[in-house]
Amino acid sequence: MPLTLESSYPLIAICSLGVLLLLLEIVLKKPDPVSYSVTIAGLLAVGVCIFPGLLRGDGATPTGGAGLLFCEVFIAAALLTVVFSGEYLRRHDSERAAGQGAYNLLVVFAVAGMMLMALAGDLISLFLGLELMSICLYVLVGFLRKHVTGNEASLKYFLLGAFITGFILYGIALLYGSAGTLSIDAIVALVIAGDQTPVFWAGLALVLAGFAFKVGAFPFHMWIPDVYQGAPTPVTAFMATGAKAAAFSVLILMFSRRGGAEGLVFRDLISFLAAGSMIVGNLLAIVQQNVKRMLAYSSIAHAGYMLVGIASGNLNGSDGVTFYLVSYLFMNVGAFGVVSLVEEREEKNLTYEDYSGFSAKNPLLAGLLALFLFSLAGLPPFGGFFGKYFVFVAAIEADLTWLAILGVLSSLAGVYYYIRLVMVMYFRDGEAGRAEAVPRLVLAALGLAALINVQLGILPSSVISLIHRFH
Amino acid sequence: MHLPVPIEYYLALSAIMFITGVTGVLARRNAIVIFMSIELMLNSANLALVAFSTRMGNDAGQILVFFVMAVAAAEAAIGLAIVIALFRNRETVFVNDMNILKW
């Protein structure tokens, strides 16, 4: 689907919001409080303005991509991130609290990049969107510039991200040279037809490797724990949900339908990525002591579950991944949100130990965190259960039963480390856990995320019917 | 379209540049040198894109090259800023010293 002027109104809206924020920075002497409310109101407005298009199923692609639904996911991720960030930045960056306007600006432009990726009609806009998102994220990761860990995470992310961009771009060049076009539809048609030149498949493999890096799949997962740990916690939440959803929207766009003998090779390649991510992510998450790092490893495992849906290569697979991303957004942002409230300056209060006695001190937050963790573990009746269910069913349909079995087994390992944190919160006495007043807006956002989690677990059809509008 | 030099030469040069860049990233330890090697990788892809585009008489490749140049400039600005921020705190640009975050 080529992007026309009429169909690109979501992009125009989000970029206008970005430019408005930029102007506020120039015009106002103290832009931070204004920028905070304008960002939240603006993101809400953009979300409402693309909602009719979502109901019409705009931005659908022949491979099961759900353009505007992804855009809503990015906007929701950004909204929750911005809401959590206000308090977080005030608390962690007292000497330089004036940077919040720039922070919100970068989040908004990162969303613009993600939307460009999800709506891309050819590889030029795909590449531009990817870079717009990545460059904003490099800065956001190192936003607390006095923090040594943040600096280190930012540099690692930047060098590895730019390195992998080189691979993606070379892959695009090879695809262009052998297909003679940069249009994604035309290239996907060639992939489905199968029987192309080796140069074409080499180019496609390079692009696959690049996006496997962006979603944090094994064996390209090395950066995830370091960057997720070093970044400000709301940014981590944004990367784990928004950026991951954007990369998956591209994987659905380009890799969820394949044909010919090479199509089977690609199925095996993606199955390998999925299996490796599930095993490595879950096993390494078990041994972590730092909660943020545990969530980082678990996000590698979740990338693995979602890749199972891509590997299946059928309609249920891509729909399952889309549903998974929606539910993952609310459970993961919620979990990171509570972690960001508990975290103290200079990376204090982040280990399992620090959560002992948390339920006694702050029963509401502990209850919410437990709910998010149950959902991440994939227990019914929360959204995470159906996310896993849909991708595993799609895998069985595609004769990838071994992958589905492996997924179920490794998610059992996942239950252990999520429940361990719940046990520490509820059954161990301790002094830790902040009891300070939490801003009402943050609490409302957490409550909303929890409600949506429950709703997705009880009535998954509400989102499934939205996804079906894109067929 | 007619190319004065056969396209294989362009592609060979581009492949050599790309491999040089990858080797540089993997072998060198100075963040700035690593970044220079990454730029080399991007430019090797640019060369391939321009060569393909000229041979096929299709402009899309050359348009992408302009965008890549702009992106590379933005990346350079951000990359150097990150290196400076890190240098102020740690007084080093060697990636071997980046060892606070592990396991």
Side-chain angles (χ1 to χ4, degrees):
Chain A
M1 172 218 53
L3 202 54
T4 59
L5 187 60
E6 292 84 47
S7 67
S8 56
Y9 65 91
L11 289 164
I12 297 174
I14 193 85
C15 289
S16 318
L17 175 61
V19 173
L20 175 67
L21 289 170
L22 209 52
L23 288 175
L24 285 181
E25 286 291 297
I26 300 169
V27 175
L28 298 179
K29 278 220 177 77
K30 281 192 172 171
D32 283 355
V34 184
S35 151
Y36 186 67
S37 19
V38 169
T39 311
I40 292 176
L43 283 171
L44 274 176
V46 177
V48 169
C49 126
I50 67 177
F51 198 72
L54 171 69
L55 294 181
R56 282 196 306 272
D58 284 0
T61 68
T63 56
L68 282 194
L69 183 62
F70 278 115
C71 292
E72 289 283 13
V73 168
F74 308 145
I75 289 170
L79 252 178
L80 294 168
T81 306
V82 170
V83 168
F84 295 145
S85 306
E87 229 265 319
Y88 186 89
L89 290 179
R90 261 195 301 282
R91 212 140 42 79
H92 289 255
D93 195 26
S94 49
E95 72 275 359
R96 199 178 135 269
Q100 252 194 61
Y103 180 96
N104 298 335
L105 189 65
L106 286 166
V107 172
V108 169
F109 276 116
V111 172
M114 294 169 188
M115 285 164 69
L116 191 53
M117 283 165 82
L119 297 173
D122 70 32
L123 293 172
I124 298 182
S125 25
L126 182 76
F127 179 76
L128 272 182
L130 175 70
E131 284 305 293
L132 182 54
M133 173 189 88
S134 302
I135 288 177
C136 292
L137 288 179
Y138 300 146
V139 184
L140 284 172
V141 168
F143 195 78
L144 302 175
R145 63 177 179 197
K146 302 269 193 242
H147 287 216
V148 188
T149 46
N151 291 156
E152 186 175 321
S154 175
L155 186 72
K156 279 180 176 167
Y157 187 33
F158 169 72
L159 287 179
L160 290 173
F163 184 48
I164 224 70
T165 298
F167 283 95
I168 294 179
L169 189 65
Y170 208 77
I172 289 177
L174 294 183
L175 280 178
Y176 174 63
S178 46
T181 172
L182 282 170
S183 149
I184 292 178
D185 281 356
I187 287 175
V188 168
L190 292 177
V191 174
I192 294 174
D195 202 24
Q196 302 299 316
T197 59
V199 174
F200 181 86
W201 297 115
L204 200 65
L206 283 177
V207 174
L208 174 64
F211 284 96
F213 170 90
K214 292 287 172 192
V215 299
F218 173 86
F220 308 101
H221 64 283
M222 303 303 192
W223 61 281
I224 290 258
D226 288 358
V227 173
Y228 280 21
Q229 187 189 346
T233 311
V235 174
T236 311
F238 187 49
M239 288 170 67
T241 55
K244 185 168 279 187
F248 266 106
S249 74
V250 174
L251 286 175
I252 290 178
L253 220 56
M254 293 189 67
F255 295 97
S256 65
R257 299 290 181 281
R258 305 168 294 268
E262 294 91 344
L264 286 179
V265 176
F266 268 83
R267 188 190 77 172
D268 292 344
L269 270 180
I270 299 172
S271 307
F272 166 73
L273 296 175
S277 315
M278 292 189 293
I279 296 173
V280 169
N282 278 319
L283 288 185
L284 290 180
I286 289 177
V287 297
Q288 299 305 320
Q289 293 306 318
N290 180 313
V291 172
K292 220 165 144 186
R293 217 168 162 79
M294 177 274 279
L295 286 172
Y297 276 107
S298 92
S299 95
I300 298 173
H302 283 281
Y305 304 135
M306 292 184 230
L307 279 171
V308 172
I310 305 281
S312 324
N314 49 28
L315 197 58
N316 280 345
S318 43
D319 286 358
V321 176
T322 312
F323 182 88
Y324 202 126
L325 283 166
V326 174
S327 62
Y328 186 64
L329 161 70
F330 291 104
M331 55 201 185
N332 209 29
V333 169
F336 274 118
V338 178
V339 171
S340 82
L341 290 172
V342 175
E343 182 181 352
E344 297 273 3
R345 285 179 66 94
E346 288 162 11
E347 321 247 324
K348 298 263 165 54
N349 261 359
L350 275 175
T351 62
Y352 276 91
E353 290 307 309
D354 296 326
Y355 280 80
S356 40
F358 188 48
S359 70
K361 230 173 197 166
N362 213 325
L364 181 60
L365 282 185
L368 285 170
L369 182 56
L371 187 149
F372 296 130
L373 290 171
F374 286 139
S375 187
L376 281 167
L379 301 179
F382 303 111
F385 170 75
F386 280 104
K388 287 198 178 76
Y389 173 77
F390 289 136
V391 290
F392 293 157
V393 166
I396 292 170
E397 267 177 27
D399 283 333
L400 285 170
T401 314
W402 66 274
L403 202 56
I405 293 175
L406 188 68
V408 172
L409 288 179
S410 63
S411 61
L412 283 181
V415 173
Y416 167 76
Y417 55 82
Y418 291 124
I419 302 298
R420 186 174 146 219
L421 183 56
V422 178
M423 300 281 279
V424 170
M425 286 195 303
Y426 278 89
F427 300 115
R428 203 178 295 169
D429 297 329
E431 273 307 296
R434 288 160 44 81
E436 275 177 40
V438 179
R440 282 216 187 102
L441 191 58
V442 175
L443 216 51
L446 283 173
L448 188 68
L451 272 181
I452 294 177
N453 257 306
V454 176
Q455 198 242 353
L456 288 176
I458 296 171
L459 279 174
S461 52
S462 51
V463 170
I464 288 291
S465 70
L466 273 184
I467 295 172
H468 283 173
R469 286 169 195 264
F470 288 87
H471 288 172
Chain B
M1 199 183 186
H2 177 68
L3 283 174
V5 180
I7 189 161
E8 289 77 14
Y9 287 63
Y10 290 98
L11 296 183
L13 177 61
S14 134
I16 292 170
M17 278 168 70
F18 188 75
I19 292 167
T20 313
V22 173
T23 318
V25 172
L26 298 177
R28 302 301 292 268
R29 286 290 155 258
N30 183 323
I32 309 270
V33 178
I34 293 178
F35 184 56
M36 282 161 58
S37 308
I38 291 170
E39 292 288 308
L40 199 58
M41 290 167 64
L42 293 182
N43 281 318
S44 74
N46 280 351
L47 181 62
L49 279 168
V50 171
F52 282 133
S53 165
T54 312
R55 190 192 58 171
M56 295 186 294
N58 173 331
D59 291 336
Q62 305 206 14
I63 296 171
L64 176 54
V65 168
F66 276 107
F67 281 117
V68 173
M69 288 199 249
V71 163
E75 236 169 26
I78 297 298
L80 294 178
I82 291 173
V83 172
I84 289 173
L86 186 90
F87 188 79
R88 282 198 178 143
N89 285 337
R90 301 274 300 274
E91 310 231 323
T92 177
V93 292
F94 287 93
V95 289
N96 287 359
D97 299 331
M98 311 292 153
N99 50 13
I100 302 177
L101 298 166
K102 57 188 169 194
W103 276 100

